[in-house]
Amino acid sequence: MTLSIRSATPADLPLIAQLIRDLAEYEKLAHEVRFDDAVLGEKLFGARPYAEVVIGELDGAAQGFALFFHNFSTFEGKPGIYLEDLFVRPAARGSGLGKALLSHLAALALERDCARLEWSVLDWNEPAIGFYRKLGARLLDEWTGMRVDGAALARLGAATIDSIA
């Protein structure tokens, strides 16, 4: 079995969109998928890409992906890589593809002088948590994720200094 990792191209957009939907289904979050394929393509491959994607293949067939972007650590004074999505199709699990995708991102982080590689994992996803721990990842128990979206984002974004004070 030949395992390979490659950077995604605009021609991969239908594949990426399907892998995102497959991931959402696995995470029981399919109802949350709202992206428009064309907008996703523009955000990934347009004039100002916001994220990067690598495709994992087994014997030339795409079986997984990792979508990531740079963040920044003020404490380290260096960038980091944030892994937004990692997914390997069920039939390819156990092949080493997930580890290869993470190893590829770790190598990119080192090449780009990043301080760290980090991501979030659903607390119920024990298989993933165990897999990540075996690779040397640690849970950040002292941190709680926060999010502002939808109507709350619109309200916060519309607030002016005068209306906040």
Side-chain angles (χ1 to χ4, degrees), residues 81-163:
I81 289 180
Y82 187 84
L83 173 61
E84 178 67 24
D85 288 332
L86 174 72
F87 180 73
V88 173
R89 289 181 168 150
R93 291 185 188 148
S95 67
L97 188 58
K99 183 177 181 180
L101 285 162
L102 282 168
S103 179
H104 181 83
L105 293 186
L108 273 179
L110 293 170
E111 176 185 310
R112 296 176 183 184
D113 195 29
C114 294
R116 56 187 163 214
L117 167 62
E118 57 192 349
W119 61 92
S120 296
V121 61
L122 291 166
D123 60 4
W124 58 260
N125 195 346
E126 289 298 329
I129 292 168
F131 169 68
Y132 297 143
R133 281 189 161 155
K134 284 180 188 173
L135 297 178
R138 60 186 172 86
L139 290 174
L140 300 176
D141 294 331
E142 65 276 11
W143 292 92
T144 298
M146 301 294 295
R147 177 179 295 164
V148 176
D149 59 6
L153 178 62
R155 280 192 308 277
L156 184 58
T160 64
I161 291 174
D162 293 336
S163 69

Side-chain angles (χ1 to χ4, degrees), residues 6-29:
R6 64 175 177 81
S7 294
T9 68
D12 291 311
L13 183 60
L15 169 65
I16 294 165
Q18 186 57 55
L19 289 168
I20 292 170
R21 288 181 179 101
D22 292 348
L23 169 63
E25 189 70 36
Y26 171 76
E27 292 182 337
K28 303 175 181 95
L29 295 169

Side-chain angles (χ1 to χ4, degrees), residues 4-98:
S4 62
I5 309 293
R6 64 175 177 81
S7 294
T9 68
D12 291 311
L13 183 60
L15 169 65
I16 294 165
Q18 186 57 55
L19 289 168
I20 292 170
R21 288 181 179 101
D22 292 348
L23 169 63
E25 189 70 36
Y26 171 76
E27 292 182 337
K28 303 175 181 95
L29 295 169
H31 61 284
E32 301 252 348
V33 176
R34 295 182 283 276
F35 68 83
D36 173 273
D37 288 29
V39 174
L40 177 65
E42 176 63 26
K43 300 304 182 192
L44 292 177
F45 303 109
R48 185 184 190 282
Y50 288 89
E52 299 174 61
V53 177
V54 291
I55 305 293
E57 297 178 336
L58 293 175
D59 295 328
Q63 296 294 333
F65 82 118
L67 186 148
F68 62 98
F69 53 88
H70 284 276
N71 55 15
F72 194 84
S73 169
T74 55
F75 290 6
E76 296 284 347
K78 290 184 174 185
I81 289 180
Y82 187 84
L83 173 61
E84 178 67 24
D85 288 332
L86 174 72
F87 180 73
V88 173
R89 289 181 168 150
R93 291 185 188 148
S95 67
L97 188 58

